[in-house]
Every structure is written in structure tokens, then in C-alpha cells.
Amino acid sequence: MASSPDAAKDTSVEGRLSTVRKAVRKATEEALQEVALSTGTTDGTGPQFADPNASFNLGMELFGQPQSVVQKNVREKLDEIEGELQEVKQVVSSRQWKSKTEDQENIAENPANQETKGKTKEELQAEAKLLSKKISFLRQCSLARSLLDESMALSKPGLALDPKWIESAQKLAKAEDTIEEAQHLLTKDEKLQDSPALVAGYKIIDSILSSIRRERVDLLDRAKVMFDICVTFTDQSIEVRGADASSDSSISETENSSLEEVYGVLEAFSSAEESNSALKETMRRFTSKLFRQVLKPVLDMASTTKPDPVLSLTDTSEEESEDNVKKLEWTFKENIVENNTTFHTGRIRVKGAVLRLTWEKHQSVEKNDSSNNKKKLQKQEIVLENWKQALNFLHRTLEFVYDNVLLQNDILCRQVGSKLFGKPNAMPATLNLEALGLESRMIGGNDNGIVMESLVDSLAKTCIPERLKPDEMPQLQAMAEELRRITLPFVQTLVEMNFVTPTDETIPDGSNGTRLEAFSTNFERKFIDNRRCLILNQARAILLKNDYHNTVVTGVDVQSKREKNEVLREIYKGSKEDVFELHKCSISDTAFKLMALVREAMDESVEHAVARSEEDRDTPMAIFPATLYRAAREALDLFRAIIQATHGKEIATVPRTAAVFHNDCVYFQHQCLWLGLEYKKKLPTAPKEPNDAASLFHDTCTFLDMVPLFRELADRSMKEMLELQAHQLIDIVGKRITIFGKSLRSDEILAEWSEAETALAAGLYHIRHLSENWNMILSHDIFVRSVGYLADTLFTIYLEQVTSASDISESACHFVSALFSKATNTLGGFLGGDKSGSAVWGRFEAIGRFMDMTLLDIQNNLANGAFRDVSGQELKRLITATFDDGPKRQRLLQALSSQQ
């Protein structure tokens, strides 16, 4: 069948599409062949990285031309194929589709169109679109190879007489972006998934990426090595090699210095989003080295006022030498050591001038022979002058770094500045846990900067006085003004050099938000906080380092007063004045020293409150007395927290420690009752202004709110210990006499009687041991009540057995009477005859005497009130169990019934 003109045109469309397909296949095969040659394999299955210059060598071997020229020709050929493909797309879009018979005739006439057999218009369009993506992919890969080759040609000393590192790095970075775009073309097309074309594409990409990575690592390594060569430190100098000396006209304006080349390479491979980019990592290493070798030694020297041993006077006594203060000063010299030189080391060549900043330290010893106040003032003046010199050193060295190392680059300055001086308004970088016996841990990274953190801490350590008397307070204000005059210009210089970035927040004093500015601006408040911290640290040291088992005697011996004569005793009992006195007892040496510290803080608070003038009303020093009062209260809070944490187990299990802790709490409770009133009387009359700090302090100076806290601690600790000892008594005695009551019916001595006697001896021994420990610790009243409580426990155990017995023989009566008498006599000796602490003593003693009485004796003692502590029902049971039935017993029982 003859073909019409339209049929001939349709046939040419399939032929042209087939031609494009073959061209794309051929380009892909050539790319895979290049992969095989560059990776050292014949099948392209895996990279061997045998020759990093394989792309260049391949181009020269095949075409005698550089790889970049070869790849340019490849891209031009791909552009021609893509143009042809676009024409095919247009024809397919406007094509009039024929019947199936005509289509078969068309294929028969041109077998090359077999691949389009039976395909619809949409399928042909999809195939054309896929071919277009493959062409775009091959073009991107070719461009990446070309950029890689150009980068290598610019950076290799063997290929370029004068390596252009910056241009090489930029081209390599562009090659990375180009190959990423090619990879994106592969991943976004779903039709290529798990296809041979996708496998081939990834082989091509992996080959190019491996070459790019090798070149990138090589460039970065050379840049870092060159930076280390260009910038060197010693303990007395900073040297910059390869600098651009502006006075040297022989250096071309278009030629980059060595450091500019380094920064250009590092910036090309870094992005703002990367937290660990090559540039940032290099700047971090440089900053750490600068701080460790140059800045930190200066801060360490300024943070101590003691002279070096070599400068100490050998003929002065130790006391005199402690008054001596060292005075520091540095002199600087900046010069061009060599101008326009070339330094070779391996593959690295550094050109340019060699600049050097050197310094020399001058230290002298100031001998202080003045009075104490003048000594302190003179010492503070020298300390401030030393810090002025130290800040001048920091300014001079950082200015040299800014001009010659960082080349006034804002980005580099901000990176170095954030490491050295931190971020404005940052949280503290470390949490000081040394007072708690723990190591400090980083909680905020380096937000405060390694220099800023050390600088502010050293300033606080050396400039803030530990304590000042009221007449010395003007010195504090003078120091604050001098410190602001020194530090604020220094911070402003850092801002101008972009080492410190001003905060965006509005700050009332117009500062830049740095810790150094905050320290100098709020110096008086720092002194107040430091004084409070010193008091609390002293309290912690007392509570943690002092031996809690050491005791001291305190209080009034009320019992001795009572025993002087009966008249005075009756007066004390009637007036009850002894309840307002702290009864004589032993408290821990820790509590005694802590209360002395509290009183010292309150004395200092009153001293400054009295000396306060109207001029101090609106200054930070107005809150100083109230802050000292706060520190005194917090010291007592520390006792409640720390002692229970460190000695809680002993307090719960050791009787002596529990008694000492009870007495400590009673002691603090007694002191808090009137401590606030004592010092409130010493405060000056409160002014009329209600919001005035002095007025608020005068109104709130009290410790009464802490009384219930210590009272509850005292009651709880002793109550828990008594309950523990009572349970131990039950275990020691009660388990041994469980059938003692039943054995009382026997006329003969049984084993249960012996066991009861042994159990009583064990119980009395236990109470004796406790009384010996408590007698010298507890006050008399608390001791009597405590031992009486344990005696009641012991009495109750035996009374339950005796009163529950249904039959008691005469022999058993005599045994019980002797047993009870032994118990009361022994316990009475422990208590010194004072039975007031026992609630069961009278009942126990009465039943013991009952066992040796006849019915007539019992009747007579009833009239005398000897059995007032024994109930009628209990007495009737005892009479029934003890005596045989008879007229006398019946009359006595009837008499007891009539009395009820």
C-alpha cells in the first residue's frame, strides 16, 4: 500500500524519535564508560579511587583535549538532540493518528520504528518527556564534570603556575550543586524507579560525587594547613604570615592574600545553616588557641593580687608580704618582620608580608605600710589599675586580630566574638555546684563566651569586697564608677569591631546586653548578692564540714533552781516562769556556730540600717540591710534542709543523734521566738513612706513564722525515736512473757517466772542504756518524760499479764510483788526519783504492793487512797484471782461495788 504524504510525514516522526532515543543511549553508554575508566573498573560496578585525575587523563587520552572541552562538546551535542526532540514533541502533538492497518504498513516500510508499534499519542508524548529528562540529567552530569575539571586545573600546583584556590573552591561548590540537581532529576521521576536507567544514572552520579569529595577534602585540608602556617602564637607574640601590607605597592590590588584565599575556600564550602561548617570549625580552633595561649594567661595574672615568688622581698616577714600587692603593665610593639616574601612547605606556598605583634609584661611589688583602712583602699586601687591594663591588653591584641587575621570581615568577627564573648543576655554557661561538693556542669553551651565568663568571674573575685563597714561604703561607690569607666569603653570597642552584637531588646541604661556591662553597671547589687552568698556559704560549710556529734551545753539549769528550797520551788511551780527559759541541755556545736553566724548577720544588718542616710534611699544599697536579714533566715532554712539530708538516717536510728537534733530544733525555736523582737528594737524608726526599703524591713523583721517549723521537727524526731524504742522493748520483753499470766496459778516456781525475771532485766538494761545517753543531752523535763514513756511501755506489758490472770497463787503474789518492786526501784534510780513523766507508775506500784497485802490491808489502804490509780473493776478481778472465796472477800467485793 502506497504511503500518502501525511503517512510519509508520520513515518519521519517515528524515525526522528528513534534517532533521539539512540543518541541518548549512546551518550549514556559513553558516560558509563567514563565511570569505568575513572573508577578503575571495566564494568563500572564499584569505585576503586585509583586515579583522582582520571577525568582529565581520559579526555587527553581520547581526544587530546582537556576534559572541560570534551564535556563542552558533549553538552553541545545534547543541546542539538534536545532541539530535535522538541520538534518531535510538536509534531506528535499535532499528528493525526491513522488506523491500525496503516500503522502496520508504516512499520513494514521502516523497521526502525518498531519500538513505537501500537503506541498511542499519549504514550509517545510520555516517552518524549522521559527522553527530555534523560538529556537534562546527562547535561547536568557533563556540566558537573566540566566544573570539577576546571576546579582541579585551578588548584593543582602541577596544572597551574599560580593556583587560584578561591575560584577552584567556587567551581567545586557549583559542581556539587549541579550534581545535586542531576540527582533530583532521578529521584523525582517515578517511571525511573527500579529501572536499568536509574542504576546507570546512580553509577554516573556516584563517580562524579566521589571525585568531588576527594577534591573538596584536599582543598579544605590545604586551606586549614595554610591557616595554621599563616597564624602562629607564642607566649609573647602573635605572628601573621602572608598578610597584605597596605604600604607595599609591589603587591597587586587584585591579588588575594594567603588568608583571603583560606577564607574564600572555607566560605565556599560553608553555609549559614551548618552548625559545624569548615569555616566555623576553623574559627573555633583559632579562638580556642588564642584564648589558651594569649588571653587566659593575662586574665589569670590579673585575677590574683599576690606577687610572684621571684618578686617577693626576701627580708620581709610573712605578715608584711601578705600586704604587698603586685602591679601589672604591658608594652606592645607591632612591626613588619618580612615584606613580600614567599614561604614554601610541601604543596603550600604562602606569599605576602609577615606581621608580628609582641608584648612585654612589667610587674612591680607595691609595699603597703598604711593603716588597715588605707591598706584596703590602696589594694583596691591597684587591683582596678591591673584590670585596666588587662583590658587594654585584650583590646590591643583583639584589634591586631581584627585587622590582620580576620581582615575586618564581619562574619568572621561575629563567629570569633560569639566564642570569646558569648551572646547578649545569655544564661550562665556553667552552674556552680562546688558549694554542694559537686563538679560544675555545662548547661548553656558557650553562650557567655570563654573570655567573658572568665573575665566576669575574675572581676567578681578580685574587685568585690567580702565585707565593708558603714564608713567604708563610699569606697564601694567609687570603685563602681571607676569600674564602669574602664569596662564600658572596652565593650563599645568590641561592638565596633563586631566581636559583640548588640541585643535587639531595649535596655534602660543603653548598654549592649553583655555580662561585663551588667556587672559594672550593677556593681553595688553584685556586692550585696556576694555578701549574701558568702554568709550562705559559711552556713553550708558549718553544716557540712563541722562534726555534728560534738555538743555544747546551753540554757538555764531550771531544775537546780527548783531544788534550792521548797519555797523557791513553789514559786516556780506557781508562776511557771521557767517555760519562757531555755532549759539546760546539750546542743550540737554545729547549731551553736550557725546561730552565732545568724546573729553576726543580723548585727551587720542593724549596723548598716542605722548608718543609712537619706541619700541612700534610692540607691541599690537601700536593700542591703534587708538582704542580710534574708541571708540570716536562709541560713536557718539550710539547717532544716542539710542536716536531715546528711544525718537523717542517724536521727531516725541512733538515740543520741535524735536527742541532739531535737535539742537543736528546740534551741532554734526558742531563739526565733524573740530574735526578731530583739533586733527590731535596734532598728531606726521606720520612715513614713510605705514603699521604702527600710520601712518594709522594719515591718517584716521577725522569725516567729519559723517557730512552728522547728517545733514540728523537734516533736517528730523525738516521737519517732520513742516509738522505735518502745517497739524494741516489746520485742525484748513482751515476746518472752506471753504465758506469764497463766503460770501465776502455780504454787511452785516455773520456767515462765524465771523468763519473766530475765525479760525484766533485759528491759531495764535497755532503758538504762538510753537514760545514760539522754541524761547528758536532754533537758531534765524532756528526759523525765522520755524515760517515763518507755517505763510505761514496760509496766503495761507486765500489767496486761497480771491483771488478765484468773488465778494467782500465794507464791506467785510474792514473786510479782518483788518483780514490780525491782522495776520501780531501778527506774526510780534512772529518773532521780522524779516520777512525773510516767502515767502508769502509780497503778504499777499500787498493784505491786497489793500482791503482799491481806484483805484487811487492802480494806485499810482503800480508805487511805492507795489504790486511786487502779480502777474498781480491775481491783475486783485481782481480789477474786488472789484470795479464796469467803465472807471477808464477799464483804470487800460488795464494798467496792457500792463505791462504784
Side-chain angles (χ1 to χ4, degrees):
M1 179 177 180
S3 299
S4 63
D6 290 339
K9 184 177 180 181
D10 290 341
T11 302
S12 64
V13 169
E14 276 79 6
R16 294 166 67 184
L17 187 60
S18 179
T19 302
V20 171
R21 187 185 302 110
K22 291 179 180 179
V24 172
R25 288 176 180 172
K26 183 177 180 181
T28 304
E29 291 173 355
E30 291 177 354
L32 287 173
Q33 181 184 6
E34 189 171 353
V35 170
L37 291 173
S38 63
T39 58
T41 61
T42 57
D43 56 356
T45 56
Q48 302 298 322
F49 311 119
D51 186 2
N53 300 320
S55 296
F56 175 80
N57 296 335
L58 177 66
M60 295 301 293
E61 180 181 347
L62 297 179
F63 305 100
Q65 295 177 332
Q67 182 71 4
S68 58
V69 177
V70 174
Q71 295 300 332
K72 182 178 180 181
N73 295 334
V74 171
R75 291 195 297 277
E76 291 176 354
K77 182 63 177 176
L78 289 173
D79 290 340
E80 293 178 4
I81 296 173
E82 188 175 26
E84 180 70 16
L85 183 62
Q86 293 298 328
E87 294 179 3
V88 171
K89 285 183 179 180
Q90 294 176 2
V91 173
V92 170
S93 299
S94 60
R95 174 178 175 178
Q96 298 295 326
W97 296 93
K98 303 176 289 298
S99 64
K100 184 175 181 180
T101 305
E102 293 176 339
D103 190 47
Q104 291 174 350
E105 292 177 356
N106 185 22
I107 294 172
E109 292 178 2
N110 189 357
N113 299 331
Q114 183 70 26
E115 295 186 15
T116 61
K117 175 182 178 181
K119 291 186 177 181
T120 63
K121 176 181 178 180
E122 290 74 13
E123 290 174 340
L124 289 174
Q125 288 177 335
E127 184 179 2
K129 185 178 180 181
L130 182 60
L131 289 173
S132 178
K133 290 182 179 179
K134 290 182 178 181
I135 292 172
S136 299
F137 170 77
L138 292 172
R139 184 191 296 111
Q140 291 295 101
C141 292
S142 176
L143 179 59
R145 288 186 183 277
S146 180
L147 291 170
L148 173 62
D149 180 73
E150 293 174 4
S151 172
M152 294 170 62
L154 289 169
S155 64
K156 301 298 181 183
L159 303 178
L161 296 177
D162 189 11
K164 304 294 184 183
W165 285 12
I166 298 178
E167 295 180 23
S168 174
Q170 291 172 348
K171 288 185 178 294
L172 194 61
K174 189 174 180 181
E176 287 182 327
D177 296 338
T178 304
I179 203 65
E180 286 181 4
E181 293 177 6
Q183 191 170 8
H184 181 66
L185 291 173
L186 286 181
T187 56
K188 74 176 183 179
D189 196 336
E190 297 180 356
K191 294 184 178 181
L192 289 177
Q193 300 299 325
D194 300 327
S195 66
L198 183 65
V199 175
Y202 274 117
K203 286 182 180 180
I204 297 171
I205 288 176
D206 290 343
S207 173
I208 300 174
L209 278 177
S210 63
S211 299
I212 291 175
R213 288 167 184 153
R214 286 196 301 271
E215 183 65 15
R216 176 191 175 111
V217 170
D218 186 56
L219 276 174
L220 288 175
D221 182 64
R222 279 184 280 172
K224 293 176 182 178
V225 171
M226 178 176 280
F227 184 84
D228 293 336
I229 294 173
C230 291
V231 183
T232 56
F233 300 99
T234 66
D235 56 350
Q236 290 185 336
S237 68
I238 302 176
E239 186 174 282
V240 179
R241 186 179 295 274
D244 185 5
S246 58
S247 61
D248 187 4
S249 60
S250 62
I251 300 179
S252 172
E253 295 181 357
T254 60
E255 185 178 358
N256 295 319
S257 67
S258 298
L259 285 175
E260 287 176 332
E261 289 185 349
V262 170
Y263 297 143
V265 172
L266 296 176
E267 287 176 355
F269 296 124
S270 303
S271 63
E273 294 77 14
E274 291 184 88
S275 59
N276 292 316
S277 64
L279 180 61
K280 292 181 180 179
E281 180 61 29
T282 302
M283 289 297 100
R284 277 194 290 266
R285 288 192 302 107
F286 162 73
T287 305
S288 299
K289 196 173 182 180
L290 173 66
F291 174 73
R292 185 175 61 255
Q293 297 189 14
V294 178
L295 304 181
K296 188 176 185 300
V298 174
L299 296 177
D300 291 341
M301 282 186 284
S303 63
T304 176
T305 58
K306 294 183 178 180
D308 294 339
V310 295
L311 297 176
S312 300
L313 302 177
T314 57
D315 57 346
T316 58
S317 64
E318 182 178 355
E319 183 177 354
E320 291 177 350
S321 63
E322 290 181 355
D323 295 331
N324 297 335
V325 185
K326 69 178 181 182
K327 190 173 183 180
L328 300 172
E329 186 178 0
W330 284 271
T331 57
F332 294 87
K333 180 181 180 182
E334 181 179 349
N335 59 338
I336 301 176
V337 182
E338 300 175 6
N339 194 9
N340 195 21
T341 62
T342 301
F343 177 78
H344 292 271
T345 172
R347 299 179 299 166
I348 308 301
R349 181 174 60 179
V350 181
K351 297 191 304 181
V354 178
L355 303 180
R356 182 179 296 164
L357 176 68
T358 58
W359 56 84
E360 185 177 356
K361 181 185 71 173
H362 304 280
Q363 177 175 327
S364 59
V365 177
E366 296 292 329
K367 192 172 181 180
N368 203 335
D369 297 327
S370 307
S371 61
N372 289 334
N373 289 339
K374 290 184 178 180
K375 282 181 181 179
K376 187 183 297 184
L377 179 61
Q378 183 179 354
K379 181 178 179 180
Q380 293 299 332
E381 290 176 352
I382 296 175
V383 168
L384 289 175
E385 181 62 27
N386 288 345
W387 278 114
K388 180 180 179 181
Q389 293 294 327
L391 292 180
N392 180 62
F393 180 93
L394 295 180
H395 171 262
R396 188 68 186 86
T397 54
L398 291 174
E399 186 179 36
F400 180 82
V401 170
Y402 172 74
D403 291 331
N404 302 294
V405 179
L406 304 180
L407 307 179
Q408 301 184 5
N409 187 306
D410 293 345
I411 296 176
L412 300 179
C413 291
R414 280 194 290 270
Q415 290 182 5
V416 172
S418 64
K419 176 75 173 177
L420 291 176
F421 303 103
K423 301 175 183 178
N425 295 335
M427 291 292 292
T430 56
L431 181 64
N432 189 1
L433 304 176
E434 294 179 358
L436 301 179
L438 303 175
E439 294 182 1
S440 298
R441 289 288 184 267
M442 300 294 292
I443 63 172
N446 285 326
D447 288 343
N448 271 317
I450 51 180
V451 168
M452 187 65 73
E453 193 83 8
S454 178
L455 177 60
V456 174
D457 290 346
S458 298
L459 281 170
K461 177 182 175 182
T462 56
C463 295
I464 298 179
E466 291 186 1
R467 184 173 182 176
L468 289 176
K469 295 181 179 179
D471 57 346
E472 297 173 341
M473 296 307 292
Q475 301 176 13
L476 186 69
Q477 185 177 1
M479 290 173 59
E481 294 176 355
E482 179 66 17
L483 195 61
R484 285 190 280 270
R485 189 180 66 82
I486 294 173
T487 57
L488 296 183
F490 172 72
V491 174
Q492 188 60 36
T493 303
L494 296 179
V495 173
E496 293 173 357
M497 292 190 292
N498 285 308
F499 286 121
V500 172
T501 304
T503 180
D504 296 332
E505 300 177 3
T506 302
I507 301 178
D509 57 7
S511 66
N512 296 289
T514 63
R515 284 191 66 200
L516 184 59
E517 286 177 305
F519 175 81
S520 58
T521 304
N522 303 311
F523 184 74
E524 295 91 341
R525 183 56 189 263
K526 295 292 183 182
F527 165 75
I528 296 174
D529 293 340
N530 182 70
R531 182 65 190 137
R532 169 176 165 260
C533 289
L534 286 175
I535 293 174
L536 295 181
N537 285 336
Q538 285 181 280
R540 287 192 187 95
I542 292 173
L543 294 169
L544 292 173
K545 298 179 180 179
N546 207 48
D547 189 354
Y548 190 67
H549 303 91
N550 294 337
T551 58
V552 295
V553 179
T554 187
V556 178
D557 191 358
V558 176
Q559 185 64 19
S560 297
K561 289 184 177 181
R562 292 173 179 172
E563 294 175 352
K564 282 185 178 179
N565 56 63
E566 189 66 23
V567 176
L568 187 61
R569 181 179 178 185
E570 291 299 326
I571 293 175
Y572 264 79
K573 281 189 174 182
S575 63
K576 301 295 182 181
E577 292 180 1
D578 53 350
V579 299
F580 299 105
E581 294 179 325
L582 178 65
H583 293 205
K584 181 181 178 181
C585 64
S586 295
I587 63 173
S588 67
D589 184 58
T590 299
F592 187 80
K593 290 180 178 179
L594 185 65
M595 181 51 66
L597 179 65
V598 170
R599 286 187 166 276
E600 182 181 350
M602 291 302 298
D603 289 337
E604 185 179 357
S605 174
V606 170
E607 186 180 9
H608 284 275
V610 172
R612 176 179 175 269
S613 63
E614 287 296 326
E615 298 177 356
D616 299 331
R617 178 178 167 184
D618 297 327
T619 64
M621 297 307 299
I623 65 172
F624 186 43
T627 303
L628 293 172
Y629 161 67
R630 173 189 174 187
R633 290 177 56 91
E634 289 173 334
L636 295 176
D637 289 334
L638 284 176
F639 174 86
R640 294 190 295 113
I642 293 178
I643 294 300
Q644 292 188 91
T646 55
H647 302 283
K649 187 175 181 180
E650 280 189 74
I651 293 171
T653 57
V654 180
R656 186 183 186 277
T657 307
V660 170
F661 181 71
H662 167 272
N663 289 352
D664 287 349
C665 294
V666 172
Y667 173 69
F668 286 127
Q669 166 199 329
H670 182 266
Q671 294 290 328
C672 290
L673 279 171
W674 51 277
L675 191 64
L677 296 175
E678 176 186 352
Y679 284 99
K680 193 172 184 177
K681 293 180 181 179
K682 300 178 182 179
L683 293 174
T685 305
K688 297 180 180 180
E689 292 79 359
N691 295 327
D692 184 74
S695 175
L696 294 175
F697 176 38
H698 186 276
D699 295 339
T700 59
C701 183
T702 181
F703 290 83
L704 285 175
D705 58 306
M706 308 186 81
V707 171
L709 301 176
F710 284 110
R711 180 176 296 166
E712 191 272 335
L713 272 180
D715 293 343
R716 187 181 65 194
S717 62
M718 203 62 193
K719 181 180 178 181
E720 291 177 353
M721 178 52 63
L722 289 174
E723 290 178 352
L724 175 64
Q725 298 304 321
H727 284 300
Q728 291 182 3
L729 272 177
I730 294 173
D731 291 338
I732 294 171
V733 179
K735 292 181 179 180
R736 295 184 178 183
I737 62 171
T738 55
I739 59 174
F740 176 62
K742 296 180 180 179
S743 68
L744 294 177
R745 67 180 65 186
S746 175
D747 289 329
E748 298 178 358
I749 298 176
L750 301 178
E752 286 77 7
W753 296 10
S754 300
E755 190 66 22
E757 192 173 13
T758 304
L760 179 63
L764 293 175
Y765 175 81
H766 184 77
I767 296 176
R768 180 175 67 83
H769 180 71
L770 291 173
S771 64
E772 289 175 352
N773 279 282
W774 286 346
N775 190 29
M776 302 300 296
I777 301 296
L778 296 173
S779 63
H780 176 77
D781 289 351
I782 300 299
F783 171 75
V784 169
R785 288 202 297 267
S786 299
V787 176
Y789 174 81
L790 297 178
D792 289 348
T793 302
L794 182 64
F795 292 159
T796 303
I797 295 173
Y798 280 91
L799 287 174
E800 287 178 354
Q801 294 293 324
V802 173
T803 56
S804 63
S806 59
D807 186 10
I808 304 176
S809 66
E810 184 177 355
S811 299
C813 287
H814 295 304
F815 175 77
V816 170
S817 177
L819 196 67
F820 280 27
S821 177
K822 177 182 179 182
T824 53
N825 292 335
T826 304
L827 290 172
F830 296 163
L831 296 171
D834 192 345
K835 309 171 187 178
S836 59
S838 173
V840 189
W841 193 292
R843 176 169 167 246
F844 184 82
E845 194 173 33
I847 292 176
R849 291 197 303 267
F850 169 88
M851 291 299 170
D852 272 343
M853 290 183 183
T854 63
L855 288 173
L856 182 59
D857 294 334
I858 294 172
Q859 189 172 2
N860 293 333
N861 281 278
L862 276 174
N864 298 331
F867 298 106
R868 67 172 63 91
D869 296 321
V870 183
S871 66
Q873 291 295 332
E874 191 173 47
L875 190 58
K876 288 170 64 177
R877 286 198 304 270
L878 287 173
I879 293 172
T880 303
T882 306
F883 296 97
D884 295 332
D885 189 16
K888 292 183 179 180
R889 191 183 79 169
Q890 291 179 1
R891 285 195 298 270
L892 184 58
L893 292 176
Q894 289 176 0
L896 288 173
S897 298
S898 62
Q899 289 180 5
Q900 295 178 358

